[in-house]
């Protein structure tokens, strides 16, 4: 019961004060334990790096990210300057430029930065969900990885050095342009043409989804004239000396898209009319290298950034529910709300633990993801490489479905304030999370690929054995249950014939993959929970 009070003194200050002073890493006991469990001999170094960057991410960059995320600061294009020169300038707010310089200035891709240090720093940076910084971070990571393997010309080596070690303190930014207007799922159907003219490759045609359009370089898929195979090129946005003059390298930016999520990041439609590109790897292996190296890093990032946004959502929702009261009780004292908070906590923790465990498996691969050839691998290594490839796709599809659901649930615990864009960052993180299901391989495409891979590998690696190996440490009854399910699903291996059996197999496969990856994550989460 309460009496009338025209001067209602209610305010959110206790919650806001906590949020204002919340250091992401110091408040994240689970991530601190995960560092101890998964990063081995690097644990002290990784922990120290997290403590060093966390105040920047939690205070300075969070405030910049919040300031950028308003409609009036959305990036826009200036196609011409005042003297009728075509410039295609992407105009971004000052806060973005400051944040970008500082985040890229962390030299995350430098030889001096250990991969685990990069991992933990990215986890903390991703909690702000500022897509105009977050997206090109992972694009640059993939570009560096593919160039480390294939840079064999002065131009590609210079680009690699620019991305990794910077030039005069400026670190280059990467993008990736694959998708074309007639279909992004099937990159093999690309029509962009690469012509060899006067001793260099030039690109002609259109790309329809080009995010991080402000980048210095993009990896671009294109077919050499007369070939059905997709090649891979790295294209500078400006040739040396042209950036200052704003004269782009033979392409125009036709339009930037109006998006629901990742709005602070431009995604553009571009026309290439003789843009110079430098080949990356054999031109008949471009698609394979793009998928196996570049997209693989982006897919790993979907897992890690999903964990980051869910962890932030859990932290803020839990605190809000302790502060906010309804019917005279703090919200978290209602069993319905407490149960929902527990679901959010579980989603966040299992996703983070799974991302750590998978990254450890990636780092354990001889030569890493971009290894030259797997022919020298032992049988055991071949299986491990296969497991990692499939787990990365499984993580991508599981997290991109879990994150929006967890964020939605967290928003619901804020009641009406949950959808207010100026109350918390959750609506923005939620809108961004929806994008993760679509880019870097939509769900159906990855489900089909995993199915095809397991079928092809069944001669040397049975699907039931695969399940048992990736779930080592899980309860035996769960492993047996999932083994039985996969054997049953593979008894009807055709996903493409339009029949009632195929429809039901597809549905079972979709939900099986989700359950399988949750089981993998839960093994990792238990390891962290049981750590002292
Ligand atoms: C915000 C945003 C930014 C993006 N940025 C970039 C970028 O920087 N660079 C880039 O290259 N691309 C980018 N993309 C494009 C993205 O990668 C594509 O949207 C994606 O690959 C799907 O292509 P599509 O949109 O043409 O869908 P389509 O290929 O038309 O697919 C439509 C639907 O069909 C389904 N489908 C396709 N094949 C199968 C199959 N075999 N079985 C069952 N279902 C199937 C898909 O799962 C999807 O649901 C971006 C997308 C978004 C949303």
């Amino acid at each position: 019961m309460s009496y009338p009070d025209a001067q209602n003194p209610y305010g959110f200050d206790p919650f806001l004060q906590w949020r204002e002073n919340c250091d992401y890493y110091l408040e994240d006991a689970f991530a601190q334990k995960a560092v101890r469990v998964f990063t081995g001999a690097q644990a002290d170094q990784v922990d120290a790096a997290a403590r060093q960057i966390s105040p920047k991410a939690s205070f300075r960059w969070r405030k910049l990210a919040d300031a950028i995320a308003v409609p009036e600061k959305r990036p826009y294009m200036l196609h011409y300057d005042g003297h009728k020169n075509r410039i295609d300038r992407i105009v971004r707010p000052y806060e973005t430029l400051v944040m970008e310089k500082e985040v890229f200035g962390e030299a995350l891709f430098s030889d001096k930065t250990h991969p685990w240090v990069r991992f933990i720093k990215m986890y903390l940076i991703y909690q702000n969900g500022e897509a105009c910084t977050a997206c090109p971070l992972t694009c640059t990571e993939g570009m560096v990885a593919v160039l480390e393997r294939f840079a064999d010309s002065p131009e590609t080596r210079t680009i690699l050095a620019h991305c990794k070690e910077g030039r005069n303190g400026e670190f280059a930014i990467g993008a990736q342009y694959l998708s074309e207007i007639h279909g992004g799922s099937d990159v093999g159907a690309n029509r962009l043409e690469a012509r060899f003219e006067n001793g260099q490759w030039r690109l002609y045609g259109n790309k329809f989804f080009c995010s991080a359009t402000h980048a210095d370089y993009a990896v671009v898929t294109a077919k050499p004239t007369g070939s059905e195979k997709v090649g891979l090129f790295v294209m500078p946005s400006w040739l040396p000396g042209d950036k200052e003059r704003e004269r782009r390298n033979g392409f125009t930016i036709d339009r930037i898209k109006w998006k629901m999520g990742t709005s602070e990041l431009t995604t553009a439609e571009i026309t290439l009319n003789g843009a110079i590109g430098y080949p990356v790897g054999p031109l008949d292996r471009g698609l394979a290298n793009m998928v196996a190296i570049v997209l693989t890093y982006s897919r790993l990032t979907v897992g890690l950034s999903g964990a980051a946004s869910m962890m932030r959502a859990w932290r803020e929702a839990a605190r809000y529910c302790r502060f906010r009261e309804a019917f005279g009780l703090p919200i978290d004292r209602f069993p319905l709300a407490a149960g929902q908070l527990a679901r959010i906590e579980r989603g966040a923790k299992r996703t983070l633990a799974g991302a750590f465990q998978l990254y450890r498996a990636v780092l354990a691969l001889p030569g890493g993801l971009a290894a030259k050839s797997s022919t020298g691998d032992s049988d055991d290594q071949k299986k491990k490489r296969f497991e990692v490839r499939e787990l990365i796709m499984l993580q991508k599809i599981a997290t991109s479905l879990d994150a929006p659901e967890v964020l939605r649930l967290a928003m619901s615990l804020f009641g009406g304030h949950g959808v207010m864009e100026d109350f918390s960052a959750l609506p923005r993180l939620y809108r961004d999370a929806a994008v993760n299901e679509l880019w870097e391989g939509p769900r159906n495409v990855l489900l089909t690929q995993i199915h095809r891979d397991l079928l092809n590998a069944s001669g040397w690696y049975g699907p039931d054995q695969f399940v048992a190996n990736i779930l080592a440490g899980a309860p035996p009854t769960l492993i047996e249950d999932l083994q039985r399910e996969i054997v049953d699903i593979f008894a009807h291996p055709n996903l493409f014939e339009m029949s009632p059996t195929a429809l039901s197999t597809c549905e079972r496969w979709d939900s099986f993959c989700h359950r399988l990856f949750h089981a993998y994550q839960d093994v990792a989460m238990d390891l962290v929970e049981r750590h002292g």
Side-chain angles (χ1 to χ4, degrees):
M1 291 288 281
S2 60
Y3 296 104
D5 181 355
Q7 307 299 322
N8 186 345
Y10 191 84
F12 295 98
D13 281 355
F15 170 69
L16 295 180
Q17 264 162 22
W18 164 81
R19 199 174 65 177
E20 194 61 21
N21 294 307
C22 171
D23 180 305
Y24 295 163
Y25 188 67
L26 296 188
E27 291 258 348
D28 193 342
F30 188 82
Q32 292 172 31
K33 280 211 275 181
V35 166
R36 297 284 157 201
V37 170
F38 290 109
T39 70
Q42 265 68 47
D44 284 342
Q45 188 194 354
V46 178
D47 185 72
R51 287 172 197 277
Q52 170 261 324
I53 202 171
S54 188
K56 293 190 224 177
S58 316
F59 307 121
R60 181 168 167 77
W61 296 337
R62 171 176 57 79
K63 283 185 187 150
L64 290 173
D66 286 347
I68 296 161
V70 289
E72 54 274 27
K73 291 212 175 148
R74 274 201 182 188
Y76 62 92
M77 292 230 40
L78 270 184
H79 288 294
Y80 290 91
D81 68 9
H83 308 104
K84 206 170 172 289
N85 298 306
R86 179 104 193 203
I87 52 172
D88 286 345
R89 182 191 304 165
I90 309 248
V91 185
R92 298 179 298 150
Y94 179 69
E95 292 90 339
T96 305
L97 305 181
V98 171
M99 182 170 169
E100 177 178 278
K101 192 169 165 48
E102 292 180 7
V103 168
F104 275 82
E106 291 286 322
L108 293 177
F109 312 111
S110 162
D111 282 337
K112 295 185 208 86
T113 305
H114 191 280
W116 274 123
V117 168
R118 174 159 74 234
F119 178 92
I120 199 74
K121 286 191 172 185
M122 283 170 120
Y123 168 63
L124 293 165
I125 291 166
Y126 288 150
Q127 297 207 17
N128 290 326
E130 205 299 288
C132 194
T133 309
C135 163
L137 260 190
T138 190
C139 291
T140 310
E141 185 177 29
M143 179 185 287
V144 165
V146 80
L147 287 178
E148 276 181 331
R149 165 94 187 272
F150 291 113
D152 57 0
S153 63
E155 292 86 1
T156 48
R157 280 195 288 266
T158 303
I159 293 170
L160 178 60
H162 193 187
C163 293
K164 286 180 69 169
E165 310 300 341
R167 193 186 294 151
N168 305 324
E170 296 284 342
F171 288 79
I173 294 174
Q176 54 197 41
Y177 305 156
L178 299 82
S179 305
E180 298 184 8
I181 190 167
H182 55 280
S185 303
D186 183 3
V187 180
N190 265 191
R191 294 189 191 158
L192 197 88
E193 185 178 354
R195 295 185 201 149
F196 194 64
E197 296 173 340
N198 302 321
Q200 53 193 356
W201 288 95
R202 288 183 179 269
L203 308 175
Y204 294 89
N206 305 92
K207 289 288 180 190
F208 208 59
F209 287 90
C210 302
S211 294
T213 336
H214 58 280
D216 299 285
Y217 308 101
V219 280
V220 182
T221 49
K223 284 181 177 158
T225 309
S227 170
E228 284 179 12
K229 303 267 181 171
V230 173
L232 192 57
F233 298 83
V234 60
M235 177 189 83
S237 296
W238 301 272
L239 292 174
D242 280 352
K243 186 170 184 179
E244 298 68 27
R245 281 180 283 185
E246 299 192 273
R247 196 164 60 195
R248 287 190 178 266
N249 165 26
F251 70 94
T252 50
I253 301 173
D254 307 330
R255 196 177 86 88
I256 53 180
K257 292 177 184 290
W258 186 252
K259 294 178 286 177
M260 173 187 123
T262 68
S263 324
E264 298 75 34
L265 164 82
T266 56
T267 299
E269 299 160 15
I270 72 172
T271 298
L272 300 96
N273 189 17
I276 290 179
Y278 308 110
V280 179
L283 285 180
D284 59 348
R285 300 277 305 153
L287 181 53
N289 288 327
M290 186 73 180
V291 174
I293 305 176
V294 182
L295 290 189
T296 294
Y297 279 99
S298 309
R299 288 171 185 169
L300 276 169
T301 288
V302 169
L304 187 62
S305 64
S309 61
M310 286 189 242
M311 197 56 94
R312 181 169 175 193
W314 170 53
R315 199 169 46 227
E316 295 192 5
R319 195 66 184 212
Y320 187 74
C321 288
R322 206 185 306 165
F323 152 78
R324 180 81 165 174
E325 294 183 359
F327 302 99
L329 269 185
I331 307 276
D332 66 359
R333 301 275 296 279
F334 295 102
L336 271 173
Q340 287 155 355
L341 275 173
R343 264 165 57 201
I344 296 168
E345 176 181 358
R346 183 161 192 225
K349 288 184 171 175
R350 64 153 46 137
T351 307
L352 182 61
F356 264 97
Q357 182 169 258
L358 180 51
Y359 199 62
R360 183 175 66 179
V362 168
L363 295 183
L365 291 177
L369 283 171
K372 270 203 170 64
S373 145
S374 53
T375 47
D377 285 350
S378 65
D379 280 357
D380 195 41
Q381 283 169 344
K382 194 174 159 197
K383 285 184 178 168
K384 286 268 172 275
R385 201 172 285 284
F386 179 79
E387 288 166 13
V388 165
R389 173 185 156 91
E390 304 311 308
L391 283 165
I392 289 173
M393 288 190 276
L394 285 164
Q395 174 173 259
K396 198 283 183 179
I397 56 174
T399 308
S400 58
L401 210 59
D402 289 341
E405 172 51 17
V406 164
L407 288 162
R408 183 201 60 74
L409 196 54
M411 277 158 58
S412 79
L413 287 169
F414 280 79
H417 302 297
V419 295
M420 298 306 157
E421 301 258 358
D422 51 4
F423 194 90
S424 81
L426 296 188
R428 174 166 55 86
L429 297 176
Y430 174 70
R431 288 186 286 103
D432 291 354
V435 171
N436 275 338
E437 195 184 343
L438 308 171
W439 60 13
E440 322 306 348
R443 184 176 185 87
N444 289 349
V445 173
L446 297 188
L447 284 170
T448 307
Q449 186 65 51
I450 298 164
H451 189 273
R452 188 185 303 127
D453 285 352
L454 284 170
L455 206 56
N456 289 342
S458 56
W460 55 275
Y461 199 4
D464 53 338
Q465 197 53 49
F466 168 80
V467 167
N469 286 352
I470 63 167
L471 295 187
T477 48
L478 175 65
I479 298 178
E480 283 158 23
D481 179 31
L482 290 165
Q483 281 182 305
R484 263 194 306 276
E485 176 81 353
I486 200 166
V487 168
D488 211 30
I489 289 172
F490 275 86
H492 308 281
N494 193 339
L495 299 189
F496 289 102
E497 124 205 315
M498 202 38 103
S499 69
T501 312
L503 285 177
S504 110
T505 305
C506 285
E507 205 177 319
R508 280 175 71 188
W509 179 239
D510 190 335
S511 86
F512 170 83
C513 286
H514 215 72
R515 279 211 301 147
L516 179 65
F517 196 71
H518 278 172
Y520 175 84
Q521 292 174 319
D522 288 346
V523 171
M525 185 170 68
D526 282 353
L527 281 176
V528 180
E529 301 277 26
R530 281 193 271 113
H531 183 78

